[in-house]
Amino acid sequence: MTQDHLDQLSLDLLGRRYDELNDVQRRVIDLILAEQPSDPRLALDEQGAFWTRLADQVAAVGGSWGFIGGFSMALLLWIAWNVLTKPLGLVFDPYPFIFLNLMLSTVAAIQAPVIMMSQNRQAAKDRLTAEHDYAVNLRAELEIMRVIDKLDALRSDELMVLCREHATRLAVLQDEVARLRAARG
């Protein structure tokens, strides 16, 4: 694609040269030329390293009712074991369950940053999705403007044909009126 073609298309659609457009507008012009909008979220998913994908999976599991139920069950079993086996001397974390508190603090300390990483990644995906939606909407609006311009051109051509036909009919009527006046007078 030549620069002149890009400039002409961007002038026609946006009223500015291609070099004067912002990144989103350039992408829209490029999408129009490519005729195939792509979803940028797919590129972000492909870029994701093992650790970022793992963070997404941990956040998905940690934010589910299954996790809450399973974790609650593990806590109840931990407490029940340490309360019920006290007479047998099999207690590994006696009341006030200090080791359990340490384990819960460790899980929270690890899980919170992992969830934050996942949320940051999701925010980046949302931003890309919003930009993509804007580009698609802008492209649709530009295509609609193209269609409207074509319809206006067709309507204008049709109007010119009708004006010529009416002018011809008017001339015929004027000639007829002049002939009738001449015949009377």
Side-chain angles (χ1 to χ4, degrees), residues 4 12 14 44-45 53 61 66 75 81 90 132-133 143 163 172 174-175 179:
D4 291 337
D12 290 345
L14 298 170
L44 185 65
D45 284 340
R53 287 193 306 268
V61 170
L75 290 176
W81 176 269
L90 297 174
H132 174 51
D133 290 346
E143 291 294 332
C163 285
V172 169
Q174 287 173 340
D175 289 346
R179 189 182 57 76

Short mmCIF file of all heavy atoms in Angstrom, two decimals, residues 4 12 14 44-45 53 61 66 75 81 90 132-133 143 163 172 174-175 179:
data_model
loop_
_atom_site.label_atom_id
_atom_site.label_comp_id
_atom_site.label_asym_id
_atom_site.label_seq_id
_atom_site.Cartn_x
_atom_site.Cartn_y
_atom_site.Cartn_z
N ASP A 4 0.56 7.47 -0.60
CA ASP A 4 -0.47 8.31 -1.22
C ASP A 4 -1.85 7.70 -1.05
O ASP A 4 -2.82 8.40 -0.79
CB ASP A 4 -0.17 8.50 -2.71
CG ASP A 4 1.07 9.36 -2.94
OD1 ASP A 4 1.42 10.14 -2.03
OD2 ASP A 4 1.67 9.23 -4.02
N ASP A 12 -10.22 11.04 2.95
CA ASP A 12 -11.63 10.81 2.60
C ASP A 12 -12.47 10.48 3.83
O ASP A 12 -13.59 10.96 3.96
CB ASP A 12 -11.75 9.66 1.59
CG ASP A 12 -11.22 10.02 0.22
OD1 ASP A 12 -11.02 11.22 -0.04
OD2 ASP A 12 -10.99 9.09 -0.58
N LEU A 14 -11.45 10.57 7.37
CA LEU A 14 -11.26 11.31 8.62
C LEU A 14 -10.87 12.77 8.42
O LEU A 14 -10.78 13.52 9.38
CB LEU A 14 -10.19 10.62 9.48
CG LEU A 14 -10.54 9.20 9.92
CD1 LEU A 14 -9.34 8.53 10.55
CD2 LEU A 14 -11.71 9.20 10.87
N LEU A 44 -2.54 -10.98 23.33
CA LEU A 44 -2.15 -10.89 24.73
C LEU A 44 -2.09 -12.28 25.35
O LEU A 44 -1.19 -12.58 26.12
CB LEU A 44 -3.12 -10.00 25.51
CG LEU A 44 -2.75 -9.73 26.97
CD1 LEU A 44 -1.46 -8.91 27.02
CD2 LEU A 44 -3.86 -9.01 27.67
N ASP A 45 -3.04 -13.15 25.00
CA ASP A 45 -3.02 -14.51 25.53
C ASP A 45 -1.80 -15.27 25.04
O ASP A 45 -1.21 -16.06 25.77
CB ASP A 45 -4.29 -15.26 25.13
CG ASP A 45 -5.49 -14.83 25.96
OD1 ASP A 45 -5.28 -14.25 27.05
OD2 ASP A 45 -6.62 -15.05 25.52
N ARG A 53 -0.08 -16.99 33.15
CA ARG A 53 -1.21 -17.91 32.94
C ARG A 53 -1.51 -18.68 34.23
O ARG A 53 -2.67 -18.92 34.56
CB ARG A 53 -0.91 -18.86 31.78
CG ARG A 53 -0.96 -18.18 30.43
CD ARG A 53 -0.98 -19.19 29.29
NE ARG A 53 0.11 -20.14 29.36
CZ ARG A 53 1.29 -20.01 28.76
NH1 ARG A 53 1.55 -18.92 28.06
NH2 ARG A 53 2.22 -20.93 28.87
N VAL A 61 -9.36 -20.35 40.43
CA VAL A 61 -9.68 -21.36 41.45
C VAL A 61 -9.95 -20.68 42.79
O VAL A 61 -10.92 -20.99 43.47
CB VAL A 61 -8.53 -22.39 41.58
CG1 VAL A 61 -8.73 -23.28 42.79
CG2 VAL A 61 -8.44 -23.21 40.32
N GLY A 66 -16.18 -23.45 44.99
CA GLY A 66 -15.54 -24.74 45.27
C GLY A 66 -14.33 -24.57 46.18
O GLY A 66 -14.11 -25.35 47.10
N LEU A 75 -10.25 -26.37 56.97
CA LEU A 75 -10.13 -25.68 58.26
C LEU A 75 -10.89 -26.43 59.35
O LEU A 75 -10.40 -26.60 60.48
CB LEU A 75 -10.64 -24.24 58.15
CG LEU A 75 -9.80 -23.28 57.32
CD1 LEU A 75 -10.49 -21.92 57.24
CD2 LEU A 75 -8.42 -23.14 57.90
N TRP A 81 -9.58 -32.20 64.21
CA TRP A 81 -8.51 -33.14 64.55
C TRP A 81 -7.79 -32.70 65.83
O TRP A 81 -7.53 -33.51 66.72
CB TRP A 81 -7.52 -33.24 63.39
CG TRP A 81 -6.34 -34.12 63.70
CD1 TRP A 81 -5.15 -33.74 64.23
CD2 TRP A 81 -6.28 -35.53 63.56
NE1 TRP A 81 -4.33 -34.82 64.42
CE2 TRP A 81 -5.01 -35.95 64.00
CE3 TRP A 81 -7.17 -36.50 63.10
CZ2 TRP A 81 -4.59 -37.27 63.99
CZ3 TRP A 81 -6.75 -37.82 63.08
CH2 TRP A 81 -5.48 -38.19 63.53
N LEU A 90 -2.37 -36.81 70.00
CA LEU A 90 -2.05 -36.73 68.57
C LEU A 90 -2.19 -35.31 68.04
O LEU A 90 -2.19 -35.09 66.83
CB LEU A 90 -2.95 -37.67 67.77
CG LEU A 90 -2.81 -39.15 68.08
CD1 LEU A 90 -3.86 -39.94 67.34
CD2 LEU A 90 -1.42 -39.64 67.77
N HIS A 132 -10.22 -2.21 20.88
CA HIS A 132 -10.67 -2.98 19.72
C HIS A 132 -12.12 -2.65 19.38
O HIS A 132 -12.46 -2.43 18.21
CB HIS A 132 -10.51 -4.47 20.01
CG HIS A 132 -11.06 -5.36 18.94
ND1 HIS A 132 -10.74 -5.24 17.62
CD2 HIS A 132 -11.91 -6.40 19.00
CE1 HIS A 132 -11.37 -6.16 16.92
NE2 HIS A 132 -12.10 -6.87 17.74
N ASP A 133 -12.97 -2.58 20.41
CA ASP A 133 -14.37 -2.22 20.17
C ASP A 133 -14.49 -0.82 19.58
O ASP A 133 -15.29 -0.59 18.68
CB ASP A 133 -15.17 -2.30 21.47
CG ASP A 133 -15.36 -3.72 21.97
OD1 ASP A 133 -15.10 -4.66 21.19
OD2 ASP A 133 -15.75 -3.89 23.14
N GLU A 143 -17.58 3.15 7.49
CA GLU A 143 -18.23 2.42 6.39
C GLU A 143 -19.65 2.96 6.16
O GLU A 143 -20.09 3.09 5.01
CB GLU A 143 -18.28 0.92 6.70
CG GLU A 143 -16.93 0.24 6.68
CD GLU A 143 -16.28 0.22 5.32
OE1 GLU A 143 -16.99 0.23 4.30
OE2 GLU A 143 -15.04 0.22 5.27
N CYS A 163 -34.42 16.56 -12.85
CA CYS A 163 -34.44 17.98 -13.22
C CYS A 163 -34.39 18.13 -14.74
O CYS A 163 -35.11 18.96 -15.31
CB CYS A 163 -33.28 18.72 -12.57
SG CYS A 163 -33.53 19.01 -10.81
N VAL A 172 -41.45 21.52 -23.31
CA VAL A 172 -42.52 21.03 -24.20
C VAL A 172 -43.83 21.73 -23.88
O VAL A 172 -44.57 22.16 -24.78
CB VAL A 172 -42.65 19.49 -24.08
CG1 VAL A 172 -43.92 18.99 -24.77
CG2 VAL A 172 -41.42 18.79 -24.65
N GLN A 174 -44.18 24.67 -22.41
CA GLN A 174 -44.08 26.07 -22.81
C GLN A 174 -44.28 26.21 -24.32
O GLN A 174 -44.96 27.14 -24.79
CB GLN A 174 -42.72 26.67 -22.40
CG GLN A 174 -42.62 26.92 -20.92
CD GLN A 174 -41.22 27.35 -20.50
OE1 GLN A 174 -40.25 27.11 -21.20
NE2 GLN A 174 -41.14 27.98 -19.33
N ASP A 175 -43.70 25.29 -25.08
CA ASP A 175 -43.92 25.31 -26.54
C ASP A 175 -45.38 25.09 -26.88
O ASP A 175 -45.95 25.75 -27.77
CB ASP A 175 -43.05 24.23 -27.22
CG ASP A 175 -41.57 24.56 -27.20
OD1 ASP A 175 -41.23 25.72 -26.91
OD2 ASP A 175 -40.75 23.64 -27.43
N ARG A 179 -47.77 27.70 -28.75
CA ARG A 179 -48.49 27.29 -29.97
C ARG A 179 -49.97 27.53 -29.83
O ARG A 179 -50.63 28.04 -30.76
CB ARG A 179 -48.21 25.81 -30.24
CG ARG A 179 -48.72 25.32 -31.59
CD ARG A 179 -48.48 23.87 -31.80
NE ARG A 179 -49.03 22.98 -30.82
CZ ARG A 179 -50.32 22.65 -30.76
NH1 ARG A 179 -51.18 23.10 -31.61
NH2 ARG A 179 -50.76 21.83 -29.83
#
